Amino acid sequence: MEDAKYAEGIMRCTRCPDMCACACPVFDVLKTQSVTPSNKAHAAQMLEEGLLDPQPEVVEILYQCNNCRLCAEWCIYDDLVLGDLLKEARKRIYLQAPGSLPDFVLNLRKRVIDSGTLHPVRPPDPADPVREKLRSFQSAEGEVLLFEGGYARAQTPEITLAALALLRRMGVKPAYLPAEEPGCGADAALLGFQDLALESGSETARFLNDSGFPIVVALSPQCAWQLTEGFSDLGINLDVEVLSLPAYLDSILQGRSADWKDMAGISIVLDDDAFLSRYLDQADLPYQILERIPGCHVLRTSPQGKLADPAVSYSPLPSPAAERGVRQRKAAQLTSAGAEIVVTTSPQGKRQLQDLLAGQPQVLDLAELLLSALP
Amino acid sequence: MEVKQLAHLTAPENVYREVESIVGPEWISSRGIDRAAYSFDVWPVVAYQVHSGHVPYYPDLVVWPGTVEEISHILQIASRFGIPVVPYSGGSGCVGGIVPLHGGITLDVKRLDRILDLDRVSLTVTVEAGTLLQHLEDSLEREGFTLGHFPQSMRSAAVGGTVAHNGIGTFSTKYGKFDDMVLGMQVVLPDGEILEIKPAPKRSTGPNLNELFLGSEGTLGVVTRVTLKIHHAPESRAFQSFAVPDMRAGLDLCRRVAQHDLRPAVVRLYDEIEGKGLLFETLKIKDDLCLLLFIYEGFQDLIGHEAELGKNICLEGGAEDLGPGPARFWYEKKRFDVRHYLAKTEAPSRIADTLEIAGTWDQLADMYYAVRRAMDQYPCRSMGHTSHIYPQGGNLYMIFFADAGSEEWPDVERLYFQILDATFTACHKLGGVISHHHGIGMAKKDWMELDHGPAGMQLLSRIKNALDPKGIMNPGKLGLGE
């Protein structure tokens, strides 16, 4: 981000009387003025201008962000996204004062290097029958390439399996190359690790550009965004079209009718995913898809639609209590709808909600639900 | 003190340990970054200093209690040690009310954020003081109700602070001021005693204790819970916009509407300067006209009739009907838009503020012109509007954008207070009050005696001393001694 744009952006946020504060899930959970949107911007401004030394307690403020972009939905300015400004602030502090990074950030960097994701991953079960089935889908041939993403590959193989099976049932032959697929660098970029983001992103761009597939379907909305807008920000050129899974499903469903089961009596609530809703601006797509299923009763948690629900945290927060609080808040909103099934559109969202809700209600990815709705 | 020095300050160890034993280590801080965050609100004088890296006042400790009992214990500790306590909820005030002039403990009540009871029969809601107004309204809206309280600050303001400065919202002409909405409350007094004021629609059981704490700005205790009136969510809205030749004519129409017992939810009369942008944006009108907006909302069968009566009054009074457009545009796009306000102060020598004065109809128009003349003596651009009307009078938002940096006015803070003095002097001469709803805080404490007179100030002091003999609660505010 250019210096002038960055400086103007954080100055505007700093001086605003917190017109987006009601939407910030981190502020709502932590309750401290230090993490209001304006004070987060203020911390960035003071670091940029040298008014504050980059001590860990100050630098930590830059990471008190859920990256949900709800701030942008309430912002009084048309072209300002505080989350992006904080991401830029993290990038700058990493470049200018790497010694000031709090331990939790350094630990996250190590995790990204070691496992390709910000999130803790459980060791995969080699005897997992899902993984066995997935092996049968591996193929370099197809109409589209499914981009799985590092987190899904490590943690939610059932979503990948459902997506592949769903595409085949819809008459699309997907290619699937888990062994060759590099990480897109989304998590590294979120934390400001420009070097890691560029390295991963460049490798991924080469992989996709050389793949021969004109269309890449990204399982995770975060990957879909990184492969498009994120790569553009990094100056990485991609010659393929990248679509989120809901966008691709919506496009093929428009051209053909599917023989859905009647889902009458099943109530569903959709987990609003930040990257799908507010980064890709595709909040309505899952609803449009679900409306095609007869009897599918989709409940809303709030009259405010996509403004209502904060995303489940994609970026681990400095405080485990804050992480837990944000997710619990999200889970409470979803369960308040009284639906039998929570439908997610991101692998991280599914696993985090499953851990929180402990089976009540059931949590399914959109691909899993749609597959179950086919005869 | 420069902001980077805050990190090196220590906290009073004995107080820290005692308070930490009450709230737990997670909910107490003496970190520099927290002290800085709680050192200012939206009042431009202090906010500008802090944004520039200078923190004139800061707390020794910030505490986030989780229960009323914890608050009670903390106040007992503070009382024992003689430590000042500044209650804090949303921090959205614009007069420096929460600035800790004498350090001490800033007590943030935002962990008390539950809606405790929604009474659908009596139409009341009982809510904890740390609840953000937007969250309260969202919750009510889900159930088909509304508080009817929509200040521009509602996205960061909380219930406790609204009681503390006796706030008001843009829809007040129908739903009332906050003091109209409050039925009862719970307050922790400076000695730690917990006071319960039972909710009732009306009482005649001695002086109404609710009124003691409404507008007390944290000087008499910590508000922890409030019971408020609510309303059914409106079925319908009607938008009306009119052009009037000047403020005197516009204020007279407002008076007639109010005295006809009509209660439009929103009334906004902009002068020729402030209304110009909205007139051009919506209707491409460039003429120097005042813009008068009404929004009626409520039950379908009632508002249609009310809106028709209001329209007739305006047309008979010589107003030009501009249709619903500007009023609807304000409602949908402008009511939370403060960009223009912020843009005009993006320079170190500039400062802006809104002085919301009030008066009775017989003087209100004269007051507008007198204050404009008073402000225009200084290097500033002034403008104004009214947005709260009553049968007996209304308020005036007198806005100024001042520019220091000249040889005559090198000091922006001195210029600011000079404009305030001229404004309040002009207001007082015509019988007006110096604050309609923003409160006093640090900004206006030197003019309190204009409103209350010596006897009134003495009485306020006596009340303060009776409740807070040790003077720990937000000392230095409301002009009640240092």
Side-chain angles (χ1 to χ4, degrees), chain A residues 230-286:
Chain A
F231 273 18
S232 175
D233 287 346
L234 288 168
I236 296 174
N237 188 47
L238 208 57
D239 299 327
V240 303
E241 183 183 8
V242 177
L243 297 171
S244 69
L245 181 61
Y248 185 68
L249 288 174
D250 188 60
S251 70
I252 59 177
L253 283 171
Q254 287 192 23
R256 60 193 88 178
S257 58
D259 194 16
W260 302 107
K261 288 182 205 168
D262 192 328
M263 302 276 283
I266 304 288
S267 57
I268 286 165
V269 65
L270 198 69
D271 170 34
D272 170 47
D273 176 88
F275 278 85
L276 193 71
S277 290
R278 288 180 287 280
Y279 284 72
L280 297 172
D281 202 20
Q282 296 174 1
D284 293 333
L285 280 181

Short mmCIF file of all heavy atoms in Angstrom, two decimals, chain A residues 230-286:
data_model
loop_
_atom_site.label_atom_id
_atom_site.label_comp_id
_atom_site.label_asym_id
_atom_site.label_seq_id
_atom_site.Cartn_x
_atom_site.Cartn_y
_atom_site.Cartn_z
N GLY A 230 -5.66 -11.12 -3.43
CA GLY A 230 -4.41 -11.20 -2.67
C GLY A 230 -3.18 -11.24 -3.57
O GLY A 230 -2.18 -10.56 -3.34
N PHE A 231 -3.27 -12.05 -4.63
CA PHE A 231 -2.14 -12.14 -5.57
C PHE A 231 -1.95 -10.81 -6.28
O PHE A 231 -0.82 -10.40 -6.55
CB PHE A 231 -2.41 -13.25 -6.59
CG PHE A 231 -1.96 -14.62 -6.13
CD1 PHE A 231 -1.72 -14.88 -4.78
CD2 PHE A 231 -1.79 -15.66 -7.04
CE1 PHE A 231 -1.31 -16.13 -4.36
CE2 PHE A 231 -1.38 -16.91 -6.62
CZ PHE A 231 -1.13 -17.16 -5.28
N SER A 232 -3.05 -10.17 -6.59
CA SER A 232 -2.96 -8.87 -7.25
C SER A 232 -2.21 -7.89 -6.35
O SER A 232 -1.33 -7.15 -6.82
CB SER A 232 -4.37 -8.38 -7.56
OG SER A 232 -4.33 -7.08 -8.10
N ASP A 233 -2.52 -7.89 -5.07
CA ASP A 233 -1.82 -7.00 -4.13
C ASP A 233 -0.33 -7.31 -4.07
O ASP A 233 0.49 -6.42 -3.86
CB ASP A 233 -2.41 -7.14 -2.71
CG ASP A 233 -3.78 -6.51 -2.59
OD1 ASP A 233 -4.17 -5.75 -3.49
OD2 ASP A 233 -4.48 -6.80 -1.59
N LEU A 234 0.01 -8.58 -4.20
CA LEU A 234 1.41 -8.98 -4.11
C LEU A 234 2.14 -8.82 -5.44
O LEU A 234 3.35 -9.02 -5.51
CB LEU A 234 1.50 -10.46 -3.68
CG LEU A 234 1.14 -10.75 -2.22
CD1 LEU A 234 0.99 -12.26 -2.01
CD2 LEU A 234 2.19 -10.20 -1.27
N GLY A 235 1.38 -8.49 -6.49
CA GLY A 235 2.00 -8.36 -7.81
C GLY A 235 2.26 -9.71 -8.47
O GLY A 235 3.12 -9.82 -9.34
N ILE A 236 1.52 -10.72 -8.07
CA ILE A 236 1.67 -12.06 -8.65
C ILE A 236 0.63 -12.23 -9.75
O ILE A 236 -0.56 -12.00 -9.53
CB ILE A 236 1.48 -13.15 -7.57
CG1 ILE A 236 2.59 -13.03 -6.53
CG2 ILE A 236 1.49 -14.55 -8.20
CD1 ILE A 236 2.41 -13.97 -5.35
N ASN A 237 1.08 -12.66 -10.90
CA ASN A 237 0.19 -12.77 -12.04
C ASN A 237 -0.36 -14.19 -12.19
O ASN A 237 0.40 -15.16 -12.14
CB ASN A 237 0.96 -12.39 -13.32
CG ASN A 237 0.04 -12.29 -14.51
OD1 ASN A 237 -1.02 -11.67 -14.42
ND2 ASN A 237 0.41 -12.93 -15.60
N LEU A 238 -1.64 -14.29 -12.35
CA LEU A 238 -2.28 -15.59 -12.52
C LEU A 238 -3.05 -15.58 -13.84
O LEU A 238 -3.80 -14.64 -14.12
CB LEU A 238 -3.25 -15.83 -11.36
CG LEU A 238 -3.54 -17.26 -10.92
CD1 LEU A 238 -2.26 -17.98 -10.55
CD2 LEU A 238 -4.49 -17.27 -9.74
N ASP A 239 -2.84 -16.63 -14.64
CA ASP A 239 -3.48 -16.67 -15.96
C ASP A 239 -4.75 -17.50 -15.97
O ASP A 239 -5.31 -17.76 -17.03
CB ASP A 239 -2.50 -17.27 -16.98
CG ASP A 239 -1.25 -16.41 -17.10
OD1 ASP A 239 -1.38 -15.19 -16.97
OD2 ASP A 239 -0.16 -16.98 -17.32
N VAL A 240 -5.18 -17.97 -14.81
CA VAL A 240 -6.37 -18.82 -14.76
C VAL A 240 -7.49 -18.04 -14.07
O VAL A 240 -7.25 -17.06 -13.36
CB VAL A 240 -6.09 -20.13 -13.99
CG1 VAL A 240 -4.94 -20.89 -14.63
CG2 VAL A 240 -5.81 -19.86 -12.52
N GLU A 241 -8.71 -18.51 -14.30
CA GLU A 241 -9.86 -17.93 -13.60
C GLU A 241 -10.07 -18.71 -12.31
O GLU A 241 -10.13 -19.94 -12.33
CB GLU A 241 -11.10 -18.01 -14.48
CG GLU A 241 -12.32 -17.34 -13.84
CD GLU A 241 -13.58 -17.49 -14.66
OE1 GLU A 241 -13.56 -18.23 -15.67
OE2 GLU A 241 -14.61 -16.88 -14.29
N VAL A 242 -10.17 -18.01 -11.22
CA VAL A 242 -10.39 -18.63 -9.93
C VAL A 242 -11.80 -18.31 -9.44
O VAL A 242 -12.20 -17.15 -9.41
CB VAL A 242 -9.36 -18.15 -8.89
CG1 VAL A 242 -9.65 -18.77 -7.52
CG2 VAL A 242 -7.94 -18.48 -9.34
N LEU A 243 -12.51 -19.34 -9.06
CA LEU A 243 -13.85 -19.15 -8.52
C LEU A 243 -13.94 -19.83 -7.17
O LEU A 243 -13.33 -20.89 -6.96
CB LEU A 243 -14.90 -19.78 -9.45
CG LEU A 243 -15.01 -19.20 -10.86
CD1 LEU A 243 -15.92 -20.05 -11.71
CD2 LEU A 243 -15.55 -17.77 -10.79
N SER A 244 -14.71 -19.23 -6.28
CA SER A 244 -15.01 -19.91 -5.03
C SER A 244 -15.94 -21.09 -5.35
O SER A 244 -16.63 -21.08 -6.38
CB SER A 244 -15.69 -18.97 -4.04
OG SER A 244 -17.00 -18.63 -4.47
N LEU A 245 -15.96 -22.08 -4.48
CA LEU A 245 -16.83 -23.23 -4.74
C LEU A 245 -18.30 -22.81 -4.86
O LEU A 245 -18.98 -23.23 -5.81
CB LEU A 245 -16.64 -24.28 -3.63
CG LEU A 245 -17.49 -25.54 -3.78
CD1 LEU A 245 -17.16 -26.28 -5.09
CD2 LEU A 245 -17.29 -26.50 -2.59
N PRO A 246 -18.83 -21.96 -3.95
CA PRO A 246 -20.22 -21.53 -4.14
C PRO A 246 -20.46 -20.82 -5.47
O PRO A 246 -21.50 -21.02 -6.10
CB PRO A 246 -20.48 -20.59 -2.96
CG PRO A 246 -19.52 -21.03 -1.91
CD PRO A 246 -18.30 -21.46 -2.67
N ALA A 247 -19.49 -20.01 -5.91
CA ALA A 247 -19.67 -19.30 -7.18
C ALA A 247 -19.70 -20.30 -8.34
O ALA A 247 -20.52 -20.17 -9.26
CB ALA A 247 -18.55 -18.28 -7.38
N TYR A 248 -18.82 -21.30 -8.28
CA TYR A 248 -18.81 -22.28 -9.36
C TYR A 248 -20.09 -23.11 -9.34
O TYR A 248 -20.70 -23.35 -10.39
CB TYR A 248 -17.58 -23.18 -9.25
CG TYR A 248 -17.45 -24.11 -10.41
CD1 TYR A 248 -17.17 -23.62 -11.70
CD2 TYR A 248 -17.65 -25.48 -10.26
CE1 TYR A 248 -17.07 -24.48 -12.78
CE2 TYR A 248 -17.56 -26.34 -11.34
CZ TYR A 248 -17.27 -25.83 -12.61
OH TYR A 248 -17.19 -26.68 -13.69
N LEU A 249 -20.50 -23.54 -8.16
CA LEU A 249 -21.73 -24.33 -8.07
C LEU A 249 -22.93 -23.53 -8.58
O LEU A 249 -23.78 -24.06 -9.31
CB LEU A 249 -21.98 -24.73 -6.61
CG LEU A 249 -21.04 -25.79 -6.02
CD1 LEU A 249 -21.32 -25.96 -4.53
CD2 LEU A 249 -21.18 -27.12 -6.73
N ASP A 250 -22.98 -22.27 -8.21
CA ASP A 250 -24.10 -21.43 -8.66
C ASP A 250 -24.11 -21.32 -10.17
O ASP A 250 -25.16 -21.36 -10.82
CB ASP A 250 -23.99 -20.04 -8.00
CG ASP A 250 -25.23 -19.19 -8.27
OD1 ASP A 250 -26.34 -19.61 -7.88
OD2 ASP A 250 -25.08 -18.11 -8.89
N SER A 251 -22.90 -21.23 -10.75
CA SER A 251 -22.84 -21.06 -12.21
C SER A 251 -23.30 -22.32 -12.93
O SER A 251 -24.02 -22.25 -13.93
CB SER A 251 -21.42 -20.69 -12.65
OG SER A 251 -20.55 -21.79 -12.49
N ILE A 252 -22.94 -23.49 -12.41
CA ILE A 252 -23.36 -24.71 -13.12
C ILE A 252 -24.82 -25.03 -12.82
O ILE A 252 -25.52 -25.61 -13.65
CB ILE A 252 -22.45 -25.92 -12.83
CG1 ILE A 252 -22.40 -26.27 -11.35
CG2 ILE A 252 -21.06 -25.68 -13.36
CD1 ILE A 252 -21.57 -27.51 -11.06
N LEU A 253 -25.31 -24.64 -11.68
CA LEU A 253 -26.72 -24.89 -11.37
C LEU A 253 -27.65 -24.00 -12.19
O LEU A 253 -28.81 -24.35 -12.42
CB LEU A 253 -26.98 -24.66 -9.88
CG LEU A 253 -26.51 -25.79 -8.96
CD1 LEU A 253 -26.60 -25.37 -7.50
CD2 LEU A 253 -27.31 -27.05 -9.19
N GLN A 254 -27.15 -22.86 -12.62
CA GLN A 254 -27.98 -21.98 -13.43
C GLN A 254 -28.24 -22.60 -14.79
O GLN A 254 -29.26 -22.35 -15.43
CB GLN A 254 -27.32 -20.61 -13.59
CG GLN A 254 -27.38 -19.80 -12.32
CD GLN A 254 -27.00 -18.35 -12.51
OE1 GLN A 254 -27.08 -17.82 -13.61
NE2 GLN A 254 -26.57 -17.72 -11.43
N GLY A 255 -27.31 -23.41 -15.24
CA GLY A 255 -27.46 -23.99 -16.57
C GLY A 255 -28.15 -25.34 -16.58
O GLY A 255 -28.51 -25.86 -17.62
N ARG A 256 -28.38 -25.90 -15.41
CA ARG A 256 -28.99 -27.23 -15.39
C ARG A 256 -29.84 -27.39 -14.15
O ARG A 256 -29.63 -26.72 -13.15
CB ARG A 256 -27.91 -28.31 -15.45
CG ARG A 256 -26.93 -28.26 -14.30
CD ARG A 256 -25.71 -29.14 -14.53
NE ARG A 256 -24.64 -28.45 -15.23
CZ ARG A 256 -23.46 -28.95 -15.52
NH1 ARG A 256 -23.18 -30.18 -15.20
NH2 ARG A 256 -22.56 -28.24 -16.16
N SER A 257 -30.79 -28.26 -14.22
CA SER A 257 -31.62 -28.51 -13.05
C SER A 257 -31.15 -29.80 -12.40
O SER A 257 -30.75 -30.74 -13.08
CB SER A 257 -33.10 -28.64 -13.44
OG SER A 257 -33.24 -29.68 -14.37
N ALA A 258 -31.18 -29.81 -11.10
CA ALA A 258 -30.77 -31.01 -10.38
C ALA A 258 -31.99 -31.63 -9.74
O ALA A 258 -32.96 -30.96 -9.41
CB ALA A 258 -29.73 -30.66 -9.33
N ASP A 259 -31.92 -32.92 -9.58
CA ASP A 259 -33.05 -33.66 -9.02
C ASP A 259 -32.85 -33.75 -7.52
O ASP A 259 -32.35 -34.75 -7.01
CB ASP A 259 -33.06 -35.05 -9.67
CG ASP A 259 -34.38 -35.75 -9.42
OD1 ASP A 259 -35.34 -35.07 -9.02
OD2 ASP A 259 -34.44 -36.98 -9.63
N TRP A 260 -33.22 -32.70 -6.79
CA TRP A 260 -32.98 -32.67 -5.36
C TRP A 260 -34.01 -33.49 -4.60
O TRP A 260 -35.16 -33.58 -5.01
CB TRP A 260 -33.04 -31.22 -4.84
CG TRP A 260 -32.08 -30.26 -5.47
CD1 TRP A 260 -32.39 -29.28 -6.36
CD2 TRP A 260 -30.67 -30.17 -5.25
NE1 TRP A 260 -31.25 -28.58 -6.71
CE2 TRP A 260 -30.19 -29.12 -6.05
CE3 TRP A 260 -29.76 -30.91 -4.47
CZ2 TRP A 260 -28.83 -28.76 -6.07
CZ3 TRP A 260 -28.43 -30.54 -4.51
CH2 TRP A 260 -27.98 -29.48 -5.31
N LYS A 261 -33.58 -34.01 -3.48
CA LYS A 261 -34.53 -34.60 -2.53
C LYS A 261 -35.34 -33.48 -1.90
O LYS A 261 -34.90 -32.34 -1.83
CB LYS A 261 -33.78 -35.31 -1.40
CG LYS A 261 -33.09 -36.59 -1.74
CD LYS A 261 -32.45 -37.14 -0.45
CE LYS A 261 -31.28 -38.05 -0.75
NZ LYS A 261 -30.49 -38.35 0.44
N ASP A 262 -36.50 -33.85 -1.37
CA ASP A 262 -37.28 -32.87 -0.63
C ASP A 262 -36.73 -32.80 0.80
O ASP A 262 -36.71 -33.79 1.52
CB ASP A 262 -38.76 -33.30 -0.61
CG ASP A 262 -39.65 -32.18 -0.11
OD1 ASP A 262 -39.20 -31.39 0.75
OD2 ASP A 262 -40.80 -32.08 -0.57
N MET A 263 -36.31 -31.58 1.17
CA MET A 263 -35.70 -31.41 2.50
C MET A 263 -36.72 -30.88 3.51
O MET A 263 -36.33 -30.30 4.53
CB MET A 263 -34.53 -30.42 2.42
CG MET A 263 -33.45 -30.83 1.46
SD MET A 263 -32.28 -31.97 2.20
CE MET A 263 -31.29 -30.89 3.20
N ALA A 264 -37.99 -31.01 3.21
CA ALA A 264 -39.01 -30.45 4.09
C ALA A 264 -38.80 -30.92 5.52
O ALA A 264 -38.57 -32.10 5.78
CB ALA A 264 -40.39 -30.86 3.61
N GLY A 265 -38.91 -30.00 6.43
CA GLY A 265 -38.74 -30.33 7.83
C GLY A 265 -37.34 -30.15 8.33
O GLY A 265 -37.09 -30.20 9.53
N ILE A 266 -36.41 -29.89 7.43
CA ILE A 266 -35.02 -29.66 7.85
C ILE A 266 -34.77 -28.16 7.88
O ILE A 266 -34.96 -27.48 6.89
CB ILE A 266 -34.03 -30.33 6.87
CG1 ILE A 266 -34.32 -31.82 6.72
CG2 ILE A 266 -32.60 -30.08 7.33
CD1 ILE A 266 -33.97 -32.65 7.92
N SER A 267 -34.37 -27.67 9.00
CA SER A 267 -34.07 -26.23 9.11
C SER A 267 -32.56 -26.04 9.14
O SER A 267 -31.83 -26.82 9.77
CB SER A 267 -34.72 -25.64 10.35
OG SER A 267 -34.28 -26.32 11.51
N ILE A 268 -32.15 -25.00 8.47
CA ILE A 268 -30.72 -24.74 8.28
C ILE A 268 -30.43 -23.29 8.65
O ILE A 268 -31.23 -22.40 8.39
CB ILE A 268 -30.36 -24.95 6.79
CG1 ILE A 268 -30.33 -26.43 6.46
CG2 ILE A 268 -29.02 -24.32 6.44
CD1 ILE A 268 -30.34 -26.67 4.97
N VAL A 269 -29.27 -23.07 9.25
CA VAL A 269 -28.78 -21.71 9.38
C VAL A 269 -27.39 -21.66 8.77
O VAL A 269 -26.60 -22.60 8.90
CB VAL A 269 -28.76 -21.25 10.86
CG1 VAL A 269 -27.77 -22.04 11.69
CG2 VAL A 269 -28.48 -19.77 10.97
N LEU A 270 -27.14 -20.59 8.05
CA LEU A 270 -25.88 -20.48 7.32
C LEU A 270 -24.88 -19.67 8.14
O LEU A 270 -25.19 -18.60 8.65
CB LEU A 270 -26.13 -19.79 5.99
CG LEU A 270 -25.02 -19.98 4.95
CD1 LEU A 270 -24.98 -21.41 4.46
CD2 LEU A 270 -25.26 -19.04 3.78
N ASP A 271 -23.67 -20.21 8.24
CA ASP A 271 -22.59 -19.48 8.89
C ASP A 271 -22.03 -18.46 7.90
O ASP A 271 -21.46 -18.84 6.88
CB ASP A 271 -21.50 -20.47 9.32
CG ASP A 271 -20.23 -19.78 9.78
OD1 ASP A 271 -20.33 -18.69 10.36
OD2 ASP A 271 -19.13 -20.33 9.55
N ASP A 272 -22.21 -17.20 8.21
CA ASP A 272 -21.70 -16.14 7.36
C ASP A 272 -20.17 -16.15 7.37
O ASP A 272 -19.55 -15.92 8.39
CB ASP A 272 -22.21 -14.79 7.90
CG ASP A 272 -21.55 -13.61 7.25
OD1 ASP A 272 -21.44 -13.61 6.00
OD2 ASP A 272 -21.16 -12.67 7.97
N ASP A 273 -19.58 -16.47 6.26
CA ASP A 273 -18.13 -16.53 6.18
C ASP A 273 -17.59 -15.18 5.71
O ASP A 273 -18.02 -14.65 4.69
CB ASP A 273 -17.72 -17.64 5.20
CG ASP A 273 -16.23 -17.69 5.00
OD1 ASP A 273 -15.58 -18.39 5.79
OD2 ASP A 273 -15.73 -17.01 4.09
N ALA A 274 -16.63 -14.64 6.45
CA ALA A 274 -16.15 -13.29 6.15
C ALA A 274 -15.58 -13.19 4.75
O ALA A 274 -15.85 -12.25 4.01
CB ALA A 274 -15.11 -12.87 7.17
N PHE A 275 -14.77 -14.18 4.35
CA PHE A 275 -14.12 -14.07 3.04
C PHE A 275 -15.14 -14.20 1.91
O PHE A 275 -15.04 -13.51 0.90
CB PHE A 275 -13.00 -15.11 2.92
CG PHE A 275 -11.73 -14.63 3.57
CD1 PHE A 275 -11.53 -14.81 4.92
CD2 PHE A 275 -10.77 -13.96 2.84
CE1 PHE A 275 -10.38 -14.34 5.53
CE2 PHE A 275 -9.62 -13.48 3.44
CZ PHE A 275 -9.42 -13.67 4.79
N LEU A 276 -16.13 -15.05 2.09
CA LEU A 276 -17.14 -15.18 1.05
C LEU A 276 -18.01 -13.92 0.99
O LEU A 276 -18.30 -13.40 -0.09
CB LEU A 276 -18.01 -16.40 1.31
CG LEU A 276 -18.89 -16.83 0.16
CD1 LEU A 276 -18.04 -17.42 -0.97
CD2 LEU A 276 -19.93 -17.87 0.60
N SER A 277 -18.41 -13.44 2.16
CA SER A 277 -19.37 -12.33 2.22
C SER A 277 -18.74 -11.00 1.92
O SER A 277 -19.26 -10.22 1.12
CB SER A 277 -20.00 -12.26 3.60
OG SER A 277 -20.85 -13.33 3.81
N ARG A 278 -17.65 -10.69 2.62
CA ARG A 278 -17.18 -9.32 2.62
C ARG A 278 -15.87 -9.11 1.87
O ARG A 278 -15.48 -7.99 1.62
CB ARG A 278 -17.06 -8.81 4.06
CG ARG A 278 -18.44 -8.57 4.68
CD ARG A 278 -18.35 -8.08 6.10
NE ARG A 278 -17.95 -9.13 7.01
CZ ARG A 278 -18.75 -10.06 7.50
NH1 ARG A 278 -20.02 -10.07 7.15
NH2 ARG A 278 -18.31 -10.98 8.34
N TYR A 279 -15.19 -10.19 1.51
CA TYR A 279 -14.03 -10.03 0.66
C TYR A 279 -14.43 -10.29 -0.80
O TYR A 279 -14.12 -9.50 -1.68
CB TYR A 279 -12.91 -11.01 1.07
CG TYR A 279 -12.15 -10.62 2.32
CD1 TYR A 279 -12.73 -10.71 3.57
CD2 TYR A 279 -10.83 -10.16 2.24
CE1 TYR A 279 -12.02 -10.36 4.71
CE2 TYR A 279 -10.11 -9.82 3.38
CZ TYR A 279 -10.72 -9.92 4.62
OH TYR A 279 -10.02 -9.58 5.76
N LEU A 280 -15.09 -11.42 -1.03
CA LEU A 280 -15.51 -11.77 -2.40
C LEU A 280 -16.86 -11.18 -2.76
O LEU A 280 -17.27 -11.24 -3.92
CB LEU A 280 -15.56 -13.30 -2.55
CG LEU A 280 -14.23 -14.03 -2.37
CD1 LEU A 280 -14.45 -15.54 -2.34
CD2 LEU A 280 -13.26 -13.67 -3.49
N ASP A 281 -17.56 -10.63 -1.76
CA ASP A 281 -18.89 -10.04 -1.98
C ASP A 281 -19.85 -11.06 -2.58
O ASP A 281 -20.61 -10.76 -3.51
CB ASP A 281 -18.78 -8.80 -2.88
CG ASP A 281 -19.99 -7.88 -2.70
OD1 ASP A 281 -20.67 -7.98 -1.66
OD2 ASP A 281 -20.26 -7.07 -3.61
N GLN A 282 -19.84 -12.26 -2.03
CA GLN A 282 -20.70 -13.34 -2.54
C GLN A 282 -21.62 -13.87 -1.42
O GLN A 282 -21.93 -15.05 -1.38
CB GLN A 282 -19.84 -14.48 -3.10
CG GLN A 282 -19.02 -14.05 -4.31
CD GLN A 282 -18.05 -15.13 -4.78
OE1 GLN A 282 -17.97 -16.22 -4.22
NE2 GLN A 282 -17.27 -14.81 -5.81
N ALA A 283 -22.04 -12.96 -0.55
CA ALA A 283 -22.83 -13.37 0.61
C ALA A 283 -24.12 -14.07 0.21
O ALA A 283 -24.58 -14.98 0.89
CB ALA A 283 -23.16 -12.15 1.47
N ASP A 284 -24.70 -13.66 -0.90
CA ASP A 284 -26.02 -14.20 -1.28
C ASP A 284 -25.93 -15.57 -1.95
O ASP A 284 -26.94 -16.28 -2.02
CB ASP A 284 -26.73 -13.24 -2.23
CG ASP A 284 -27.08 -11.94 -1.52
OD1 ASP A 284 -27.26 -11.96 -0.28
OD2 ASP A 284 -27.16 -10.89 -2.20
N LEU A 285 -24.75 -15.93 -2.44
CA LEU A 285 -24.65 -17.16 -3.24
C LEU A 285 -25.10 -18.41 -2.49
O LEU A 285 -25.88 -19.20 -3.04
CB LEU A 285 -23.22 -17.34 -3.75
CG LEU A 285 -22.85 -16.50 -4.97
CD1 LEU A 285 -21.41 -16.79 -5.38
CD2 LEU A 285 -23.79 -16.79 -6.14
N PRO A 286 -24.62 -18.66 -1.28
CA PRO A 286 -25.08 -19.88 -0.61
C PRO A 286 -26.60 -19.91 -0.45
O PRO A 286 -27.22 -20.98 -0.57
CB PRO A 286 -24.38 -19.83 0.75
CG PRO A 286 -23.21 -18.93 0.54
CD PRO A 286 -23.65 -17.92 -0.46
#
